[in-house]
Amino acid sequence: MEQVLTIDFFRSNKLLPAGDNRYYVTKETPYFAIEDVKFLTGKFPELILISEQEFQEKLEEYISQISHSINKQTEEEIEGIEDILQGADTVSVQLLNSIFLNAVRNNASDIHFEPFRDKVIVRFRVDGILHQIHTIDRNIFQSISSRIKVIAKLNVAEKRLPQDGRIRIRIGKKELDMRVSTLPTVFGERVVIRLLDKSNKLLTLNELGFLSEDLEKYEQIISKPYGIVLVTGPTGSGKSTTLYASLLRLKNPRKNIITVEDPVEYQIEGISQIQVKPEIGLTFAAGLRSILRQDPDIIMVGEIRDLETAEMAIHASMTGHLVLSTLHTNDAPSSITRLVDMGIESFLVASSLEGVVAQRLVRRICENCKEEIVPGKEENTLLERELGMSADRLYKGTGCDTCLGTGYKGRVAIYEIMAVDEDMRSFITKHSDSKQIRDLAIQKGMKTLLQDGLKKALKGITTIEEVLQITKV
């Protein structure tokens, strides 16, 4: 952790490691420095108050010790954070390190470095929304972008073409997988880093945000011995998280479960996972074809992108396998139209499909600044139309330091679950119009994304404004 909090941090913030989760502090030590230590170690530090003179003496002693032992790090640490901290340009290295630490602290999913004429703007995507965090001098950014390229194993000299790379580091107890993308612009290279926290535990179905009746319905769908179950939604809507949670529920020593993914985001013990590598011919379709020769019971295909993969998935489901996969469609009924448009016969879709789940992610109301509000006429009109009820109170976040002033902290999924029964199969065989299929699904009890979101707004989980924004009603 001392590698993440640099010597300059200790010096400027009057805080110094004393061993065994103890830290020397002075009367001038700011509270946020103690919070940083707590964040990285996972426990509140024991503080030892000393004078300014004692602090300076111990700081000099610490610098002497750290300079002597800096080359004795373990190989694993050298591959991680140590790579980032090495380098002659101390200012840029420490600034980059500070940005990484700040991104992790705020649970950012992406870091954007965006060059303009006289500055470079740094923005974090937190809960799906971009927030401007820093402004960097363009000259300093040159060395920062070079450092990013070096640790991502990219060509530092190439600034005319886009490049993609990967960084694996550790910050405190968190292991991060960073996907780096560079793009040349008029004012220099734009860099975007996607953060994937490998130390995060996988969510279970109970933790995803299903309402109780929807959870029961979905568990019935994935408990079928064979057939296809699709999870649909745009990029970044949490489809992979739902699939992983489903695999955790289905995992059983008596079941052979194999996945083909791009990329493999989390490793699940007891499940064989294949990474797609198109450059050597290992596509989704090729991987799925090989999986079928491995005697699987359950197959997870990261995404159905083309006719070949769709045909293989249909074939697998009709030969006694349960297939889980994703599609990019706006709602559950549209997935049927999408498969037919790909070239799959409607009777094959009808006979193999067991259920479709459409989902979106909405922001949770920040619990730190949550307060009750009186709903207006428009809100109650919407609730009456969609749920057949009105409300005497709703909730919102007023904005605080915890939620960066947004009133929201974290996200939760809203769902639209369409189970396929015999009536639906007969209807799909005769009709492929998504609106007609949607009308029938609603008649059979399907709750729409909007209705699920409104129910969660009534429970104080999110706001009606957020639900309307995400569902685009």
Side-chain angles (χ1 to χ4, degrees), residues 360 362 414 448-451 453 464-473:
R360 298 289 190 280
V362 296
I414 56 175
T448 66
L449 286 167
L450 175 59
Q451 290 169 341
I464 289 181
E465 292 79 10
E466 177 71 3
V467 172
L468 291 177
Q469 173 67 26
I470 296 301
T471 56
K472 302 295 182 186
V473 175

Side-chain angles (χ1 to χ4, degrees), residues 105-106 366 368-369 398-409:
R105 186 191 299 119
N106 285 291
C366 175
N368 192 55
C369 58
T398 57
C400 62
D401 292 339
T402 302
C403 59
L404 299 176
T406 62
Y408 298 96
K409 182 70 173 178

Side-chain angles (χ1 to χ4, degrees), residues 39-172:
F39 173 79
L40 290 169
T41 62
K43 50 189 176 182
F44 198 89
E46 180 183 340
L47 306 179
I48 304 172
L49 183 63
I50 59 177
S51 67
E52 290 291 328
Q53 182 177 349
E54 287 178 304
F55 183 85
Q56 290 302 322
E57 291 173 356
K58 291 187 180 296
L59 178 63
E60 292 174 8
E61 181 182 349
Y62 176 78
I63 292 173
S64 176
Q65 292 174 350
I66 205 70
S67 62
H68 178 71
S69 63
I70 192 67
N71 295 321
K72 296 181 180 180
Q73 305 293 329
T74 65
E75 182 178 350
E76 186 178 18
E77 290 172 330
I78 289 174
E79 290 176 352
I81 281 293
E82 183 64 278
D83 279 343
I84 296 175
L85 295 177
Q86 289 176 349
D89 191 348
T90 306
V91 173
S92 63
V93 169
Q94 291 192 3
L95 180 55
L96 177 61
N97 191 49
S98 173
I99 290 171
F100 284 163
L101 178 60
N102 197 6
V104 172
R105 186 191 299 119
N106 285 291
N107 293 316
S109 62
D110 301 84
I111 305 173
H112 290 232
F113 296 88
E114 303 168 2
F116 295 97
R117 186 181 301 278
D118 56 351
K119 62 185 176 182
V120 175
I121 293 175
V122 181
R123 297 199 290 175
F124 293 168
R125 187 175 295 279
V126 180
D127 297 333
I129 306 296
L130 282 170
H131 301 270
Q132 183 171 328
I133 303 296
H134 301 286
T135 300
I136 301 176
D137 183 87
R138 286 192 63 187
N139 295 325
I140 294 177
F141 179 65
Q142 293 296 325
S143 54
I144 287 179
S145 63
S146 295
R147 173 61 54 187
I148 293 172
K149 284 184 173 183
V150 167
I151 59 182
K153 296 179 173 58
L154 301 179
N155 185 348
V156 179
E158 181 57 77
K159 299 183 179 181
R160 301 165 301 171
L161 295 173
Q163 297 187 73
D164 295 298
R166 182 178 177 180
I167 307 171
R168 302 190 72 172
I169 66 169
R170 188 193 299 108
I171 297 181

Side-chain angles (χ1 to χ4, degrees), residues 335-352:
S335 61
I336 294 168
T337 308
R338 176 72 187 279
L339 290 172
V340 173
D341 289 344
M342 279 185 175
I344 304 296
E345 294 289 346
S346 58
F347 73 90
L348 290 175
V349 176
S351 60
S352 60

Side-chain angles (χ1 to χ4, degrees), residues 354-379:
E354 291 295 334
V356 185
V357 178
Q359 69 178 77
R360 298 289 190 280
L361 293 179
V362 296
R363 291 180 292 171
R364 288 180 179 270
I365 298 173
C366 175
E367 292 295 332
N368 192 55
C369 58
K370 183 177 180 179
E371 68 173 20
E372 290 185 8
I373 60 170
V374 177
K377 183 178 179 181
E378 290 183 358
E379 284 90 347

